[in-house]
Amino acid sequence: MTAIAPADRTRRPALRWVGQALAWAVILVAVFVIAVAVLIPRIGGATPYTILTGSMQPKYAPGTLVVVKPVDASAIGVGTVITYQLRSGEPTVVTHRVVGVSYAANGEPEFITQGDANDAADLEPVKPVQVRGALWYAVPKLGWASTAVDQDQRNAAVYAVAGGLGLYAVSMFAGSLRDLARRRVRTAGDA
């Protein structure tokens, strides 16, 4: 049997504690990112988008994840940040602030938009059918992670993180059982 020096005994619990703290930090960050980028938008009926240009700087810099909720056109006013299709039915979207509201001959509202960093309003007014939603919340830099992976990769990452959390929980449970068994052996040996 090998004798363990007293200094080694005190170092091991400290290293174990540091390792556990780091593991929990990684887990919490992963859970936060998944919750903010995937889970909360799905539960809230919202859609995440990534700001790709500097038109909404400084508040919404490129790489910012913006989450937009569907909204009734009557709830959109001056100052509302909306995400809209450039052309109805096409996938390309823009996120800009409403700087004016006008009404078409049929009484339907039209929104005049402008990027916060732009000197002039956008050329074409936005019709309600083009609006994907109004800004619910934004997270700086998280959008880059979102654009780096496609939907299948995101789904796989969610399953991988969930599986990793499950494996971590099992290993922690097994370690607790092992420690409990060691204590019982020590207690039985002392009696």
Side-chain angles (χ1 to χ4, degrees):
M1 183 168 183
T2 306
I4 298 174
D8 288 344
R9 284 188 201 148
T10 58
R11 236 183 274 145
R12 284 186 182 167
L15 288 176
R16 185 173 183 188
W17 182 87
V18 169
Q20 287 178 344
L22 286 174
W24 277 108
V26 168
I27 289 167
L28 290 174
V29 167
V31 167
F32 173 77
V33 167
I34 290 170
V36 168
V38 179
L39 188 61
I40 293 172
R42 284 190 182 173
I43 290 171
T47 305
Y49 294 99
T50 300
I51 301 288
L52 298 176
T53 69
S55 69
M56 288 298 287
Q57 285 190 22
K59 191 166 185 178
Y60 307 110
T64 300
L65 177 80
V66 291
V67 177
V68 298
K69 273 184 137 176
V71 64
D72 189 71
S74 64
I76 299 173
V78 173
T80 304
V81 175
I82 61 171
T83 297
Y84 61 92
Q85 296 172 318
L86 281 175
R87 286 171 201 73
S88 185
E90 292 186 9
T92 304
V93 295
V94 174
T95 300
H96 279 172
R97 190 175 306 279
V98 174
V99 294
V101 180
S102 61
Y103 294 89
N106 64 1
E108 181 179 70
E110 294 181 333
F111 307 106
I112 292 82
T113 58
Q114 179 177 340
D116 291 351
N118 294 349
D119 293 332
D122 300 332
L123 296 176
E124 297 290 323
V126 177
K127 297 178 180 356
V129 71
Q130 294 172 264
V131 177
R132 299 292 91 203
L135 179 68
W136 184 20
Y137 65 88
V139 182
K141 301 195 185 343
L142 190 55
W144 291 133
S146 180
T147 58
V149 295
D150 63 21
Q151 187 61 42
D152 290 338
Q153 291 171 326
R154 259 186 239 129
N155 290 340
V158 168
Y159 292 130
V161 168
L165 288 172
L167 289 173
Y168 182 73
V170 167
S171 73
M172 294 300 292
F173 184 71
S176 294
L177 289 176
R178 185 183 63 238
D179 291 346
L180 182 62
R182 286 180 184 162
R183 281 190 210 123
R184 285 186 180 171
V185 167
R186 284 184 199 148
T187 304
D190 292 341

